[in-house]
Amino acid sequence: VQLVESGGGSVEAGESLRLSCVGSDFSRYYMAWFREAPGKGREGVAFIDRGGATNYAWSVKDRFTISKDNANNALYLQMNSLKPEDTAMYYCAADELNHGLAWRGYTYWSQGTQVTVS
């Protein structure tokens, strides 16, 4: 599946952004958002399974919300109360197997979108 991401940008601390990821056949996939900051490894941010259950990295819990619209084949990441440490390239990913927040198992990836918080 081809994943196309949008919604990144530059904001000030405390503001919000929503990332979107579109593709096809989303009901088949476990999906997640990842991020990668310069000099750091890829980090799992939020995960959603095929039934809608979610899991979050502790660093974003209560600030970020992942959601999926299977009818429209869209995945979202609502990011509130953004902090400078959230600055990174963000990616959505999909796979038919459950890998949770472990990035190595995911087969399909978006192109990435930059989020900068100052």
Side-chain angles (χ1 to χ4, degrees), residues 9-30:
S10 296
V11 297
E12 295 189 355
E15 294 185 342
S16 299
L17 277 175
R18 188 173 85 153
L19 304 182
S20 300
C21 176
V22 296
S24 58
D25 296 326
F26 274 18
S27 62
R28 297 174 54 186
Y29 298 108
Y30 297 87

Side-chain angles (χ1 to χ4, degrees), residues 68-87:
K68 186 156 68 92
D69 180 350
N70 287 333
N72 292 299
N73 293 309
L75 179 75
Y76 303 103
L77 185 68
Q78 178 66 42
M79 304 185 292
N80 298 330
S81 303
L82 282 160
K83 304 176 181 180
E85 51 263 45
D86 295 318
T87 295

Side-chain angles (χ1 to χ4, degrees), residues 25-60:
D25 296 326
F26 274 18
S27 62
R28 297 174 54 186
Y29 298 108
Y30 297 87
M31 301 192 72
W33 290 97
F34 295 86
R35 66 186 181 187
E36 192 166 351
K40 297 185 179 180
R42 189 161 295 189
E43 174 190 19
V45 174
F47 166 79
I48 188 165
D49 74 9
R50 294 187 295 194
T54 58
N55 189 30
Y56 297 91
W58 68 269
S59 58
V60 306

